[in-house]
Amino acid sequence: MEIQENISLKLFNTFGIDVTAKQFARFRSVDELHELLAYNQAQTANSKHQTLILGGGSNLLFTSNVDGLVLKNEIPGIREISEDAHHVYVQAGAGVNWHQFVLHCISKGWAGVENLSLIPGNVGASPMQNIGAYGVEIKDVFYSLEALHLPDNKIVHFSLNDCAFGYRESVFKRKYRNEFVITHVTFRLNRVPQFNTSYGAIEQELEKMGVKELSIQAVSQAVINIRSSKLPDPAEIGNAGSFFKNPEIPKQQFTTLQAQYPAIVGYNLSNGNVKLAAGWLIEQCGWKGYRKGDAGCHAKQALVLVNYGNATGKELFDLSTAILDSVKQKFGVQLEREVNIV
Ligand code: FAD
Ligand code: EPU
């Protein structure tokens, strides 16, 4: 067990924000996690001390130094735990890189996560906001998870229903925020693929690729191609993907907005509401390609805020506030941040 002091977190968040953690440690097993927590509790018995669980750092914005312990979850391993006529149950350690997990499933012929290719981050954070892309969310393949309850150091099992997954939501993001460390996630994957290619430009991309027979490999590659053409690579420009959620509004409000802005982009939901493309709203407010210092709004995808080098978390946060305000003022629609602000 090694605890480092005053460590820069610049390389541990995809925005590349240079803040420091008072203490920093990595763990590769539940036992190591127990050991670190016991040490931390003994050290800080009478003081209020922040503990932050870190995965790949791809959905975080650091706005200040972390005055506490950052624990980087590196629990490894992917194993098939059981199977039935239609499904394979696969458990992955929280520290497994998400895209590596997807590639592993594809290589084994296990279907269900191919549309979620190339999402940054680790398996352990995937239930936090019920990651989603191209018509699939992890709730569609999720079976269960194990998490350590920080207040009493006990492992708790969560089923699909326990997690209360919604669009970019779960109990871990709201009710149990900062209470659990997810250690393992089990997925229920399909032996026979149920292809989902109706979303966005997947079919167009498959055609462009010259794909004659659909396969999970082909769908994965199509998603990779589309994502690579739109989203900035954090290795080149700091970002955390979509900074805001796509807002949901009542149909009546949408009809009124549409009368004024005929090009507004919205999708009908089964509950009668309409989900708006926040990227379109932000672009219409003139933010796309905006840059002040090193903080900016991406030139190809207005929903993504970027750090061109040395932006601070506060500068990016202030930019997000200005965007929220202008969208509210122009369209009367309240955006909500998707990224976790620390
Ligand atoms: P981190 O950023 O490290 O953590 C996120 C939050 O979860 C923090 O609050 C952290 O404390 C908590 N946390 C992390 N691990 C654990 C754990 N084991 N137990 C308890 N709490 C934990 N997301 C999508 O849904 N769809 C997309 O298409 C998508 N595209 C993206 C594209 C780009 C270029 C980028 C940079 C991000 C994108 N994201 C997308 C967001 C991000 O990839 C996901 O939210 C991802 O799941 C974050 O994983 P992480 O390991 O990096 O989490
Ligand atoms: N649009 C614009 N201008 C922009 C960006 C988008 O007008 O600058 C409009 C376009 O009409 C486009 C529509 O918005 O057709 C939707 O854009 P896109 O297909 O790029 O998807 P998105 O709604 O912006 C969402 C997710 C992404 C996910 C993609 C694909 C959210 C908040 N974002 O983006 O998730 O990868 O769909 O499924 O739901 C993330 O969560 O970090 C993320 C990247």
Coordinates of all heavy atoms in Angstrom, one line a residue, residues 77-84 87-92 104 108 110 186-187 191:
G77 N -9.5 -7.7 -14.3 CA -10.1 -9.0 -14.5 C -11.5 -9.0 -15.3 O -12.3 -8.2 -14.9
I78 N -11.6 -9.9 -16.2 CA -12.9 -10.2 -16.9 C -13.1 -11.7 -16.9 O -12.2 -12.4 -17.3 CB -12.8 -9.7 -18.4 CG1 -12.4 -8.3 -18.5 CG2 -14.1 -10.0 -19.1 CD1 -12.3 -7.8 -20.0
R79 N -14.2 -12.1 -16.3 CA -14.4 -13.6 -16.3 C -15.9 -13.9 -16.6 O -16.8 -13.2 -16.2 CB -13.9 -14.2 -15.0 CG -14.7 -13.8 -13.8 CD -14.0 -14.3 -12.6 NE -14.8 -13.9 -11.4 CZ -15.6 -14.7 -10.8 NH1 -15.7 -16.0 -11.1 NH2 -16.4 -14.3 -9.8
E80 N -16.0 -15.0 -17.3 CA -17.4 -15.5 -17.6 C -17.8 -16.3 -16.4 O -17.2 -17.2 -15.9 CB -17.3 -16.5 -18.8 CG -18.6 -16.9 -19.4 CD -18.4 -17.9 -20.6 OE1 -17.3 -17.8 -21.3 OE2 -19.3 -18.7 -20.8
I81 N -19.0 -15.9 -15.8 CA -19.4 -16.6 -14.6 C -20.4 -17.6 -14.8 O -20.5 -18.6 -14.0 CB -19.7 -15.6 -13.4 CG1 -20.7 -14.5 -13.9 CG2 -18.5 -14.9 -12.8 CD1 -21.2 -13.6 -12.7
S82 N -21.3 -17.4 -15.8 CA -22.3 -18.5 -16.0 C -22.9 -18.2 -17.4 O -22.7 -17.2 -18.0 CB -23.4 -18.5 -15.0 OG -24.1 -17.3 -15.0
E83 N -23.7 -19.2 -17.8 CA -24.4 -19.0 -19.1 C -25.7 -19.8 -19.1 O -25.9 -20.7 -18.3 CB -23.5 -19.4 -20.3 CG -23.0 -20.8 -20.2 CD -21.9 -21.1 -21.2 OE1 -22.0 -20.6 -22.4 OE2 -21.0 -21.9 -20.9
D84 N -26.6 -19.3 -20.0 CA -27.8 -20.1 -20.3 C -28.0 -20.2 -21.8 O -27.1 -19.8 -22.5 CB -29.0 -19.5 -19.5 CG -29.3 -18.1 -19.8 OD1 -29.1 -17.7 -21.0 OD2 -29.8 -17.3 -19.0
H87 N -27.9 -16.4 -23.0 CA -27.0 -15.3 -22.4 C -25.7 -15.9 -21.9 O -25.6 -17.0 -21.5 CB -27.8 -14.6 -21.3 CG -29.0 -13.9 -21.8 ND1 -30.3 -14.4 -21.4 CD2 -29.2 -12.9 -22.6 CE1 -31.2 -13.6 -22.0 NE2 -30.6 -12.7 -22.7
V88 N -24.8 -14.9 -21.8 CA -23.5 -15.2 -21.1 C -23.4 -14.1 -20.0 O -23.6 -12.9 -20.3 CB -22.3 -15.1 -22.1 CG1 -21.0 -15.4 -21.4 CG2 -22.5 -16.0 -23.3
Y89 N -23.1 -14.5 -18.8 CA -22.9 -13.6 -17.7 C -21.5 -13.3 -17.5 O -20.7 -14.3 -17.2 CB -23.6 -14.1 -16.4 CG -25.1 -14.3 -16.6 CD1 -25.6 -15.4 -17.4 CD2 -26.0 -13.3 -16.2 CE1 -27.0 -15.5 -17.6 CE2 -27.4 -13.4 -16.4 CZ -27.9 -14.5 -17.1 OH -29.2 -14.6 -17.4
V90 N -21.1 -12.1 -17.6 CA -19.6 -11.8 -17.6 C -19.4 -10.7 -16.5 O -20.0 -9.6 -16.5 CB -19.2 -11.2 -19.0 CG1 -17.7 -11.0 -19.0 CG2 -19.5 -12.2 -20.1
Q91 N -18.4 -11.0 -15.7 CA -18.1 -10.0 -14.6 C -16.8 -9.4 -14.9 O -15.8 -10.0 -15.3 CB -18.0 -10.7 -13.3 CG -17.8 -9.8 -12.1 CD -17.5 -10.5 -10.8 OE1 -16.4 -11.1 -10.7 NE2 -18.4 -10.4 -9.9
A92 N -16.7 -8.0 -14.7 CA -15.5 -7.3 -15.0 C -15.1 -6.5 -13.7 O -16.0 -5.9 -13.1 CB -15.6 -6.4 -16.2
H104 N -13.0 -7.1 -25.8 CA -12.9 -8.5 -25.3 C -14.3 -9.2 -25.7 O -14.2 -10.4 -26.1 CB -12.7 -8.5 -23.8 CG -12.6 -9.8 -23.2 ND1 -11.4 -10.6 -23.2 CD2 -13.5 -10.6 -22.6 CE1 -11.6 -11.7 -22.6 NE2 -12.9 -11.8 -22.3
K108 N -15.0 -12.5 -28.2 CA -15.6 -13.7 -27.8 C -17.0 -14.0 -28.4 O -17.6 -15.0 -28.2 CB -15.9 -13.7 -26.2 CG -14.6 -13.6 -25.4 CD -14.0 -15.0 -25.3 CE -12.9 -15.0 -24.2 NZ -12.3 -16.4 -24.1
W110 N -19.6 -12.2 -27.8 CA -20.7 -11.8 -26.9 C -21.3 -10.5 -27.3 O -20.6 -9.5 -27.4 CB -20.2 -11.7 -25.4 CG -19.5 -13.0 -24.9 CD1 -19.8 -14.2 -25.3 CD2 -18.5 -13.0 -23.9 NE1 -19.0 -15.1 -24.6 CE2 -18.2 -14.4 -23.7 CE3 -17.8 -12.1 -23.2 CZ2 -17.3 -14.8 -22.8 CZ3 -16.8 -12.5 -22.3 CH2 -16.6 -13.9 -22.1
T186 N -21.4 -7.0 -13.3 CA -21.7 -8.2 -14.1 C -22.7 -7.8 -15.2 O -23.7 -7.2 -14.9 CB -22.3 -9.3 -13.2 OG1 -21.3 -9.7 -12.2 CG2 -22.6 -10.6 -14.0
F187 N -22.4 -8.3 -16.4 CA -23.2 -7.9 -17.6 C -23.9 -9.2 -18.1 O -23.3 -10.3 -18.0 CB -22.4 -7.3 -18.7 CG -21.7 -6.0 -18.2 CD1 -20.5 -6.0 -17.7 CD2 -22.4 -4.8 -18.4 CE1 -19.9 -4.8 -17.2 CE2 -21.8 -3.6 -18.0 CZ -20.6 -3.6 -17.4
R191 N -25.9 -14.3 -26.7 CA -25.2 -15.2 -27.6 C -25.5 -14.9 -29.0 O -24.6 -15.0 -29.9 CB -25.7 -16.7 -27.3 CG -25.2 -17.2 -26.0 CD -25.9 -18.6 -25.8 NE -25.4 -19.3 -24.7 CZ -24.2 -19.9 -24.7 NH1 -23.4 -19.8 -25.7 NH2 -23.8 -20.5 -23.6

